[in-house]
Amino acid sequence: MPSVNVTDRIQTSKQPLNQILYGPPGTGKTYHTVNKALEIIDPGFYKENREDRESLNNRFRSLIEKETVKFITFHQSFSYEDFVEGLKPTIENGGIIYVIENGVFKSMCELANSNSRVVLIIDEINRGNISSIFGELITLIEESKRAGAEEALSVTLPYSKEPFRVPKNLYLIGTMNTADRSLALMDTALRRRFDFIEMMPETEKLKKLNVKGIEISEMLSKMNKRIEVLYDREHSVGHAFFMPLQKEELDKEKKFELLNKIFKNKIMPLLEEYFFEDWEKIRQVLGDNKKQYEHQFIRPNEEGEEEARLMFKNDDYYSADQYKSYERNKDAIKYPESFIGIYEDIGASENDSQ
């Protein structure tokens, strides 16, 4: 699917009833659901305040409080009963009885009957079992099947036995992390009924960001090019991880400390998850094979290699590569050269072990 600039999409076109923002981690999918919800419900306010993030967030929170916007997250145990309606146990006169309770989707549909527009945001929509959660309502969310449309459909709900239609002023916004599940494996029902808007890393947003000589945009671009070759583009690293470095109140030392934390707590665990601790590939992404030993994030563990050789020296089926051992270099983040070496060949000394 072609990449779409989200900002342009908001400005120039009518918001679809059903849409999914999809892309790798850290590309601003959840961030942009705020923009889209405001564009749908209060376009005038959004247009006047689109550059004022604090005002947008405050307005969004007020809509959450009024329940005009609802934010939920799908997960593996999320069910039809949570989403549409189900039987819930309650205690009455000392005994347990079961009552029919509306799920979030049905509640929003009922609210839409008395309001101009309502928005249901479904974060991590691909983590849920779509067929199980939506059930027979998956067809009713189509624009042509909504209440008031020429081909409008209704169903009888299984618990309440009520006739049910999906109103035309309920908007669904989903987010999908492609690192969790490939778009190719996406539920066909969703692919047919939602507009998919791709969100990829926007390194140009980091263009002017320099931390102790480290060009953050160049560093991220180089990492993502290598990830695309070694894995695929759906497992890129998003620019949003590094956006906090742009805070004006941070001096250069504070920015470098923050960069260290981002790498330690966000980037390195993400790469380890992507490559299932295939240390050689992680080294390639980080350019460690071209750095001095002290600047390598993941480096060869010579003692471990020698120990493996001694342990398996009599085993014919062990190859030289299987003796390789690696270790995390926790001190690498202390040096700007460790980061600069990701995108720039600053060379390794002759004595460095590769």
Side-chain angles (χ1 to χ4, degrees), residues 18 30 65 73 90-91 96 116 123 125 172 175 208 221 224 227 240 249 253 274 282 285 300 302 347 354:
N18 309 317
T30 305
E65 292 173 0
T73 302
T90 186
I91 297 177
I96 297 176
S116 55
D123 201 28
I125 193 170
L172 299 177
T175 70
K208 297 180 181 179
S221 294
N224 282 335
I227 290 172
E249 64 268 23
E253 292 299 331
Y274 281 178
I282 296 173
V285 171
E302 294 180 351
Q354 300 298 321

Side-chain angles (χ1 to χ4, degrees), residues 34 42 100 106 163 181-182 225 254 270 294 303 323 349:
V34 173
D42 198 348
I100 299 170
K106 185 180 177 184
R181 187 175 180 181
S182 171
K225 286 178 182 177
K254 291 293 184 182
L270 189 63
E294 64 182 349
E303 291 183 5
Y323 295 133
S349 66

Side-chain angles (χ1 to χ4, degrees), residues 137-172:
L137 303 188
I138 192 67
T139 300
L140 272 61
I141 67 172
E142 294 180 36
E143 186 168 357
S144 62
K145 305 299 187 299
R146 300 277 188 116
E150 290 185 8
E151 300 176 17
L153 293 177
S154 67
V155 298
T156 299
L157 296 178
Y159 296 102
S160 63
K161 305 303 180 184
E162 297 173 352
F164 182 79
R165 289 185 175 184
V166 177
K168 59 184 178 181
N169 55 338
L170 169 66
Y171 289 76
L172 299 177

Side-chain angles (χ1 to χ4, degrees), residues 335-352:
Y335 307 103
E337 293 86 351
S338 302
F339 301 94
I340 296 172
I342 292 175
Y343 62 93
E344 186 176 302
D345 188 357
I346 56 179
S349 66
E350 293 180 0
N351 296 325
D352 285 327

Side-chain angles (χ1 to χ4, degrees), residues 141-350:
I141 67 172
E142 294 180 36
E143 186 168 357
S144 62
K145 305 299 187 299
R146 300 277 188 116
E150 290 185 8
E151 300 176 17
L153 293 177
S154 67
V155 298
T156 299
L157 296 178
Y159 296 102
S160 63
K161 305 303 180 184
E162 297 173 352
F164 182 79
R165 289 185 175 184
V166 177
K168 59 184 178 181
N169 55 338
L170 169 66
Y171 289 76
L172 299 177
I173 302 174
T175 70
M176 174 182 166
N177 188 340
T178 55
D180 290 336
R181 187 175 180 181
S182 171
L183 190 65
L185 301 177
M186 190 68 247
D187 193 294
T188 305
L190 282 187
R191 291 176 65 93
R192 288 176 48 217
R193 293 175 173 92
F194 281 77
D195 283 21
F196 278 72
I197 301 172
E198 184 181 59
M199 299 189 67
M200 295 300 290
E202 298 180 65
T203 53
E204 62 273 11
K205 291 188 175 182
L206 307 171
K207 265 301 187 199
K208 297 180 181 179
L209 187 55
N210 184 295
V211 180
K212 280 197 168 184
I214 306 163
E215 298 291 345
I216 303 298
S217 176
E218 290 294 320
M219 179 185 72
L220 182 58
S221 294
K222 182 64 73 172
M223 288 172 58
N224 282 335
K225 286 178 182 177
R226 290 169 178 160
I227 290 172
E228 186 171 347
V229 171
L230 294 169
Y231 203 153
D232 57 39
R233 68 195 299 270
E234 293 182 342
H235 288 77
S236 303
V237 175
H239 60 279
F241 288 116
F242 300 96
M243 294 297 282
L245 294 170
Q246 294 184 329
K247 294 179 180 178
E248 294 181 359
E249 64 268 23
L250 297 177
D251 60 27
K252 64 178 181 180
E253 292 299 331
K254 291 293 184 182
K255 284 187 178 181
F256 189 61
E257 288 178 14
L258 181 55
L259 177 61
N260 289 348
K261 290 180 181 178
I262 291 170
F263 248 76
K264 179 181 177 181
N265 300 328
K266 303 289 185 181
I267 306 305
M268 294 303 295
L270 189 63
L271 292 178
E272 290 178 23
E273 180 184 338
Y274 281 178
F275 293 102
F276 305 100
E277 296 189 350
D278 184 332
W279 303 114
E280 189 55 44
K281 286 184 179 177
I282 296 173
R283 277 172 53 80
Q284 291 179 51
V285 171
L286 298 171
D288 282 340
N289 56 323
K290 297 181 180 180
K291 298 176 190 171
Q292 293 186 19
Y293 192 65
E294 64 182 349
H295 299 151
Q296 297 173 21
F297 291 99
I298 305 296
R299 61 189 183 186
N301 180 357
E302 294 180 351
E303 291 183 5
E305 288 183 22
E306 182 59 28
E307 184 178 335
R309 287 190 184 95
L310 293 174
M311 186 180 300
F312 300 112
K313 64 181 180 180
N314 297 322
D315 295 340
D316 295 334
Y317 54 84
Y318 266 83
S319 65
D321 286 342
Q322 288 172 301
Y323 295 133
K324 286 188 176 181
S325 177
Y326 298 95
E327 64 180 1
R328 298 179 182 89
N329 178 15
K330 296 180 180 179
D331 293 330
I333 59 175
K334 298 178 181 178
Y335 307 103
E337 293 86 351
S338 302
F339 301 94
I340 296 172
I342 292 175
Y343 62 93
E344 186 176 302
D345 188 357
I346 56 179
S349 66
E350 293 180 0

